Amino acid sequence: MKIRSHSESHLVELDDGSRWQIFPGDLDITLNWKPETELSVVTVDDEVSSHALVGGGGKVRVIREDETWPVREVKSALKEG
């Protein structure tokens, strides 16, 4: 899939209409994304996210736009770097 919109650094909308929140610790990976960047949505077994966007040179942890990040797990993951 391609990117339909990425106007806010932490949100991305794909051309299938799905909208995703990007994990704060992975935002740097998205800096090189362009509208033509091909991304795949995959299910992951991760303590902070349910899915990942794979492509554009990396893997970015995401949750659906209407979900909330698990605060304790996010803080722990960011501390670990």
Side-chain angles (χ1 to χ4, degrees):
M1 286 178 269
K2 294 191 187 287
I3 298 170
R4 179 182 293 168
S5 173
H6 189 212
S7 58
E8 295 183 56
S9 62
H10 68 288
L11 294 175
V12 65
E13 180 179 359
L14 301 178
D15 60 6
D16 68 351
S18 62
R19 295 177 54 92
W20 302 91
Q21 293 184 60
I22 299 165
F23 181 68
D26 293 345
L27 288 173
D28 61 323
I29 299 169
T30 70
L31 295 176
N32 292 322
W33 285 2
K34 299 188 178 359
E36 61 274 6
T37 300
E38 285 286 338
L39 299 171
S40 299
V41 179
V42 297
T43 304
V44 295
D45 184 20
D46 187 272
E47 63 182 28
V48 297
S49 67
S50 56
H51 294 80
L53 298 178
V54 179
K59 176 174 135 181
V60 175
R61 294 168 283 186
V62 296
I63 57 174
R64 294 192 182 276
E65 179 186 36
D66 61 349
E67 294 179 356
T68 304
W69 291 104
V71 175
R72 182 177 301 143
E73 288 83 354
V74 168
K75 284 182 179 180
S76 176
L78 290 173
K79 279 184 185 177
E80 293 171 8

